[in-house]
Structures are given as C-alpha cells and as structure tokens.
Amino acid sequence: MTEPAAGMEEEFNAWYDTEHLAERLAITGFRSARRWVADGAPGEGKYLATYELDAPGVLHSPEYLARFEAATPWTRRCLEKCVVFKRWACEQVEPGAADPHPMAKALLLVVADAPIGELPLPGALQTRRFHASAGTPRNIVLVELAWEGTRNLPSAQPGWLMRLYRAYAA
C-alpha cells in the first residue's frame, strides 16, 4: 500500500509502471502483479499492489535481495517521497492455492489484528485470506469483485483497516 507525496503522483506511476513492476516480475518466483487504486482522503493509501509468488521464500532469495539492496536512484526517490508505505508479506491460507480472479474489477482489502470472520458480499468473485509473516496487522482478506463502487459493502469492525480499490489502468 503506497501513496506518493502531492506533486509526485505522475512520476510515481511512471516509475511503478515502467521500472518497478518489470523488475519484480523478472525475479524468479514472481508469477504476477496487479495494481489497484482507491478514491478517498489523502494519506489513506491510494495505491495497492498485489503480487503472486511461488512461495514466501522468494522474498529471501539472493535474486530478490540483490534487487532490493541495489535499488535504482529512481526507486529510492519515489519510495522516499511516499507519505504512505505499508508492506505485508503473506501466505494465502484460504482457499489453498487460488490465483487472483481474472475478472476482478475491484478489490476490498480488510486488514486486522484478530482473525476476520465471514464477509458476506453478494457478487464477490472470490475471497482470499492471508496471514502476514511480515508487516502488521497480520490478518488480511482480499475480496475480489466484478464491480466497482460501494454497494453492499460490509461495515468495518473496530480495529479493521478496510479500503475499496478499483483496478488501476496506466
């Protein structure tokens, strides 16, 4: 979850779309990536990127660590200017090995310290649950939706971070 500083959004998106995603997807074990964008008040995490990995250990591989430790000047500039930067490294716990739904046009992110119960959401394509080994809170749910908008969203519970994102288009 990221949000560039005011005045940096165009450069941030150019960096993300032309350098960052390509770098990550070139690393062995990164299967796919998708970007999402939310409407809302500044400082709430406007952008979200989801990555599918072969295994959590990819984030500890020499190939990944070399790229991480040798960040380009453009990467350093863009990340240093973020007003929001939250990162979770997660393992999907439910359903087992389901990949992101290809028809998803929106994504409801729910993050909490305590396990998150059922989220009845008519029209949801699928709900994926994760446990974070890095980043807090540790319980994350992604509800993939075929529609954009706020119809029928569940109410956020105390202690939840809940954001609705729509598919990002460069």
Side-chain angles (χ1 to χ4, degrees), residues 34-151:
R34 186 141 186 216
R35 290 189 71 201
W36 307 89
V37 61
D39 298 318
E44 293 183 349
K46 183 172 183 174
Y47 294 98
L48 180 71
T50 54
Y51 298 89
E52 302 301 317
L53 308 177
D54 289 339
V58 169
L59 299 176
H60 303 287
S61 70
E63 186 178 4
Y64 175 80
L65 293 174
R67 177 64 69 189
F68 187 78
E69 292 165 2
T72 68
W74 200 12
T75 294
R76 286 192 303 275
R77 173 179 161 71
C78 287
L79 291 180
E80 287 168 0
K81 301 284 183 177
C82 281
V83 295
V84 174
F85 182 85
K86 294 182 183 181
R87 181 175 179 262
W88 296 276
C90 304
E91 188 160 2
Q92 186 169 315
V93 294
E94 185 185 313
D99 282 332
H101 199 287
M103 301 302 293
K105 292 182 171 46
L107 183 76
L108 180 66
L109 168 72
V110 183
V111 181
D113 287 321
I116 300 162
E118 290 302 311
L119 295 171
L121 203 52
L125 296 167
Q126 73 177 344
T127 299
R128 300 191 301 149
R129 295 173 183 280
F130 300 84
H131 184 265
S133 58
T136 57
R138 301 270 190 207
N139 297 284
I140 295 152
V141 173
L142 299 178
V143 182
E144 297 165 353
L145 306 165
W147 46 265
E148 298 177 21
T150 57
R151 61 181 178 217

Side-chain angles (χ1 to χ4, degrees), residues 3-13 46 77-78 81 83:
E3 186 168 324
M8 280 284 298
E9 193 157 1
E10 185 176 341
E11 180 181 355
F12 176 84
N13 285 321
K46 183 172 183 174
R77 173 179 161 71
C78 287
K81 301 284 183 177
V83 295

